[in-house]
């Protein structure tokens, strides 16, 4: 049931808009599009000593994409590329692409597991951040 | 005749499906329409009693298959008011446009101009961009008005003696706007340009008199017109087909092959290389006959009555906005809307939980989305088998999305 998809935690994450906006002087920016649905995520990062010092995102996309970007921005600071990869694995576990239990905040996306057409909405911010850190 | 929606619905078994305890309210006809039993039976009958390749076999099954295939060509031709030999079966509407872009494109010179519009489906943009890369033609674009119609007031400025082809959507797959073909043909004739219409969203709403329209090329898709997947149609004036070189090379499209030289078969064979989509074409012929048997005055009134119900219902929900003509004038039964503060995909996903199937996103019309600075729209596209219950379920779902997601 799709109603179950839009559970309170996902809606709250999206509405929190954590990290929404731009950085004044990012070390790097990256933009990723989902050509199938037109969603677009732009991520700015300020990197110090190989770790994320600041992060901001602009999402032109659905609620799931906004929620995912907000969740990611909320936990990304202080992490390097390898640690961000770990976060992605957590998100992939939440949506059932990998086995195991996801952790907070990404376990909020567990209801997306049954909606394969929406998996990319959750993963798009990770794609953009990976590119920004590359 | 009057329109009996219940009788029409009975011909579409899929409409009786129950998913997660809810009936299906199918309002995604602009993406793919459903198929009536008559079409399913025709394809099944071909597969069960007449399956063989067409044209070259001398055995009975090949003769049966060829006869069914050519009858389908005749049925499609009748639907469009043209001659069977002017009908080319393609793999789809996109394939038909690519055929024209390649084969008619071979007749164009660097510097020749092709006029498109801002609301075209990517299928009527990208093939021309590929031609531009290959041959140096130039592309021009007619902007769209604020209510989502091609701004034909600009035709006189945009059509020049260099314009060789004007290729436009007969009905927009996003806004539902119906093109004023007469104005386009008039402008084209003033400079000797050709006119092609993308009929993907028009053909599912009744027979078309192409001769009366005065155009040069017409294309549409089988699966949007109650036919099977994997087949589309190109119609072109015979003198154009005669002048155009082949698109694909292979069997069936040749006159005589030697290693020194190959000659081409006359149209339509010249453009149907290899084994054509025989079963799908037979299904599409049946779909055209099925459509032609409806009373389209009554059917159109029924469809537009549903459009009015959508427009009225959406207007009562706070923060909805229609992208397209506000009234029933100049439109066909495709309605795009935005709900303030809720992304179209989230609207569509919520509607799915009410059993309502719609399409959300850019609808393969990204230049149009850019024009209105939109992420996308939610699109409702209506077919003759839709009824008030479909629209009421839609409106209930949109209200729910408005109440819960913003």
């Amino acid at each position: 049931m799709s109603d179950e998809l839009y559970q309170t935690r996902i809606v709250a994450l999206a509405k929190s808009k954590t990290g929404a906006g731009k950085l004044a002087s990012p070390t790097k920016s990256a933009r990723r599009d989902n050509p199938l649905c037109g969603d677009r995520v732009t991520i700015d990062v300020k990197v110090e000593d190989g770790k994320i010092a600041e992060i901001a995102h602009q999402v032109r996309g659905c609620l799931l994409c906004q929620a995912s970007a907000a969740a990611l921005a909320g936990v990304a600071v202080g992490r390097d590329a390898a640690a961000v990869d770990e976060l992605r694995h957590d998100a992939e576990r939440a949506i059932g692409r990998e086995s195991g239990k996801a952790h907070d905040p990404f376990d909020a996306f567990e209801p997306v597991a049954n909606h394969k057409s929406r998996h990319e909405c959750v993963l798009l911010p990770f794609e953009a951040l990976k590119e920004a850190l590359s | 005749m009057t329109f009996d929606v219940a009788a029409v619905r009975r011909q579409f078994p899929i409409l009786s499906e129950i998913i997660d305890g809810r009936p299906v309210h199918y309002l995604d006809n602009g993406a793919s329409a459903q198929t009536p039993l008559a079409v399913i039976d025709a394809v099944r009958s071909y597969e069960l009693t007449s399956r063989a390749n067409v044209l070259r076999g001398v055995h009975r099954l090949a003769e049966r298959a060829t006869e069914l295939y050519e009858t389908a060509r005749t049925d499609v031709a009748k639907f469009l008011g043209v001659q069977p030999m002017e009908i080319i079966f393609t793999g789809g509407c996109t394939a038909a446009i690519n055929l024209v872009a390649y084969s008619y494109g071979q007749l164009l010179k660097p510097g020749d101009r092709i006029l498109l519009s801002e609301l075209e489906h990517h299928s009527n943009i990208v093939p021309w961009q590929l031609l531009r890369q290959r041959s140096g033609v130039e592309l021009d674009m007619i902007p769209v008005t604020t209510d989502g119609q091609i701004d034909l007031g600009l035709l006189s400025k945009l059509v020049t003696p260099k314009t060789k082809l004007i290729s436009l959507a007969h009905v927009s797959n996003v806004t539902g706007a119906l093109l004023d073909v007469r104005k386009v043909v008039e402008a084209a004739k003033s400079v000797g340009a050709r006119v092609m219409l993308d009929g993907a969203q028009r053909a599912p709403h009744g027979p078309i008199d192409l001769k009366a329209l005065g155009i040069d090329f017409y294309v549409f898709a089988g699966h949007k017109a109650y036919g099977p997947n994997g087949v589309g149609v190109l119609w072109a004036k015979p003198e154009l087909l005669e002048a155009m070189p082949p698109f694909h090379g292979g069997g069936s499209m040749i006159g005589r092959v030697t290693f020194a030289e190959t000659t081409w078969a006359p149209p339509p064979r010249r453009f149907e290389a290899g084994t054509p989509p025989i079963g799908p074409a037979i299904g599409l012929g049946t779909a055209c006959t099925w459509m032609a048997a409806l009373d389209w005055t009554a059917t159109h009134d029924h469809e537009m009555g549903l459009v009015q119900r959508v427009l009225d219902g959406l207007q009562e929900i706070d923060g909805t906005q229609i992208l397209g003509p506000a009234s029933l004038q100049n439109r066909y039964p495709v309605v795009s809307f935005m709900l303030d503060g809720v992304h179209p995909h989230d609207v569509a996903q919520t509607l799915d939980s009410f059993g309502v199937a719609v399409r959300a996103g850019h609808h393969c019309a990204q230049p149009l989305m850019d024009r209105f600075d939109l992420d996308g729209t939610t699109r409702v596209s209506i077919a003759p088998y839709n009824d008030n219950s479909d629209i009421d379920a839609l409106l209930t779902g949109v209200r729910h999305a408005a109440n819960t997601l913003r």
Side-chain angles (χ1 to χ4, degrees):
Chain A
M1 285 297 302
S2 298
D3 255 355
E4 294 165 8
L5 181 61
Y6 297 110
Q7 287 184 358
T8 319
R9 281 182 71 200
I10 292 182
V11 176
L13 273 169
K15 287 186 176 170
S16 75
K17 298 193 182 300
T18 306
K22 294 180 184 179
L23 293 184
S25 49
T27 313
K28 215 166 168 192
S29 294
R31 189 173 80 192
R32 288 302 288 261
D33 291 285
N34 180 343
L36 291 180
C37 66
D39 282 359
R40 167 173 286 184
V41 176
T42 308
I43 288 201
D44 294 347
V45 282
K46 194 166 189 181
V47 180
E48 288 172 0
D49 300 327
K51 292 182 176 173
I52 297 170
E54 287 181 69
I55 180 167
H57 59 80
Q58 298 162 74
V59 176
R60 287 197 68 157
C62 64
L63 191 131
L64 297 181
C65 196
Q66 293 171 35
S68 172
L72 184 55
V75 295
V77 171
R79 295 179 192 265
D80 61 12
V84 167
D85 244 13
E86 275 310 306
L87 295 178
R88 182 186 171 120
H89 287 302
D90 217 25
E92 300 235 21
R93 280 192 285 274
I95 61 175
R97 286 197 173 186
E98 291 182 18
S99 58
K101 182 90 182 111
H103 303 91
D104 183 59
F106 298 107
D107 58 346
F109 294 96
E110 283 168 359
V112 186
N114 290 332
H115 299 271
K116 281 190 179 167
S117 63
R118 307 299 299 276
H119 287 184
E120 296 306 320
C121 308
V122 176
L123 298 177
L124 197 62
F126 288 90
E127 298 284 337
L129 180 55
K130 186 176 180 180
E131 194 175 315
L133 293 174
S134 64
Chain B
M1 273 199 286
T2 54
F3 187 77
D4 180 353
V5 68
V8 174
R9 289 179 70 83
R10 280 196 293 275
Q11 299 176 57
F12 291 81
I14 200 167
L15 300 177
S16 306
E17 277 292 295
I18 301 290
I19 300 177
D20 284 342
R22 290 185 170 83
V24 172
H25 297 287
Y26 193 76
L27 294 168
D28 193 18
N29 298 288
S32 261
Q34 299 300 343
T35 286
L37 278 171
V39 171
I40 296 166
D41 289 346
V43 176
R44 191 165 187 271
S45 172
Y46 159 72
E47 298 291 353
L48 291 178
T49 68
S50 311
R51 183 182 164 93
N53 212 326
V54 289
L55 298 176
R56 290 174 298 279
V58 296
H59 54 79
R60 302 293 175 87
L61 287 179
E63 285 187 356
R64 277 188 186 179
T66 303
E67 191 180 332
L68 288 170
Y69 182 66
E70 293 305 325
T71 300
R73 197 190 302 280
T74 302
D75 293 339
V76 173
K78 277 185 197 159
F79 182 75
L80 299 175
V82 298
Q83 294 302 310
M85 290 300 107
E86 299 162 11
I87 296 295
I88 316 289
F89 283 121
T90 65
C93 191
T94 299
I97 298 175
N98 276 276
L99 191 165
V100 176
Y102 185 88
S103 296
Y104 176 72
Q106 299 267 73
L107 307 178
L108 300 178
K109 301 186 296 293
D112 285 347
R113 306 188 80 89
I114 295 170
L115 183 57
L116 311 172
S117 90
E118 201 171 21
L119 61 64
E120 296 311 311
H121 190 284
H122 297 164
S123 297
N124 194 27
I125 298 174
V126 182
W128 305 112
Q129 290 175 327
L130 293 172
L131 174 64
R132 178 172 63 187
Q133 283 171 15
R134 282 196 305 272
S135 71
V137 300
E138 303 287 342
L139 305 183
D140 297 305
M141 182 272 286
I142 314 174
V144 163
T145 59
T146 50
D147 67 346
Q149 304 194 54
I150 299 173
D151 191 349
L152 297 182
L154 299 172
L155 270 180
S156 57
K157 277 187 188 163
L158 291 166
V159 175
T160 74
K162 289 267 187 193
T163 307
K164 299 301 171 198
L165 177 71
I166 305 175
S167 184
L168 302 172
H170 195 178
V171 169
S172 164
N173 73 311
V174 180
T175 70
L178 172 69
L179 184 70
D180 185 341
V181 179
R182 189 183 50 81
K183 278 188 185 163
V184 176
V185 169
E186 203 175 278
K189 276 190 177 160
S190 72
V191 295
R194 303 289 185 175
V195 175
M196 176 159 104
L197 296 185
D198 169 0
Q201 299 295 333
R202 168 60 186 84
H205 302 289
I208 306 157
D209 186 350
L210 292 185
K211 292 272 166 65
L213 288 180
I215 59 169
D216 301 280
F217 299 98
Y218 201 84
V219 295
F220 74 94
H223 68 103
K224 295 185 201 293
Y226 321 105
N229 275 316
V231 65
V233 167
L234 162 65
W235 168 82
K237 278 187 174 160
E239 64 268 27
L240 282 165
L241 291 176
E242 198 52 58
M244 283 158 52
F247 178 29
H248 293 144
S252 300
M253 49 72 71
I254 52 92
R256 173 87 183 134
V257 177
T258 67
F259 274 98
E261 190 188 25
T262 293
T263 59
W264 317 132
R269 307 262 175 270
R270 185 186 301 167
F271 303 102
E272 294 183 352
T275 298
I278 304 165
I282 291 166
L284 179 54
T286 305
C288 286
T289 304
W290 179 83
M291 279 193 282
L294 293 176
D295 170 358
W296 277 96
T297 305
T299 307
H300 188 70
D301 285 350
H302 165 74
E303 289 183 330
M304 297 314 285
L306 296 177
V307 170
Q308 190 66 60
R309 199 175 180 93
V310 174
L311 296 175
D312 291 345
L314 288 176
Q315 211 165 29
E316 286 173 11
I317 299 169
D318 250 7
T320 55
Q321 203 187 333
I322 304 293
L323 176 58
S327 73
L328 299 189
Q329 249 195 334
N330 304 325
R331 70 144 61 243
Y332 260 62
V334 175
V335 181
S336 267
F337 69 94
M338 291 77 74
L339 178 62
D340 271 357
V342 186
H343 192 277
H345 283 141
D346 299 318
V347 176
Q349 190 83 61
T350 302
L351 288 172
D352 177 62
S353 70
F354 285 80
V356 180
V358 295
R359 179 59 72 90
H362 54 60
H363 312 294
C364 297
Q366 285 181 327
L368 184 66
M369 297 300 119
D370 291 345
R371 154 73 170 85
F372 290 100
D373 193 27
L374 291 171
D375 298 338
T377 71
T378 305
R379 183 186 71 181
V380 179
S381 46
I382 288 165
Y385 43 71
N386 288 125
D387 62 12
N388 286 343
S389 78
D390 296 328
I391 308 306
D392 294 346
L394 165 84
L395 295 170
T396 301
V398 176
R399 274 192 293 271
H400 185 79
N403 292 336
T404 57
L405 297 183
R406 59 181 183 181

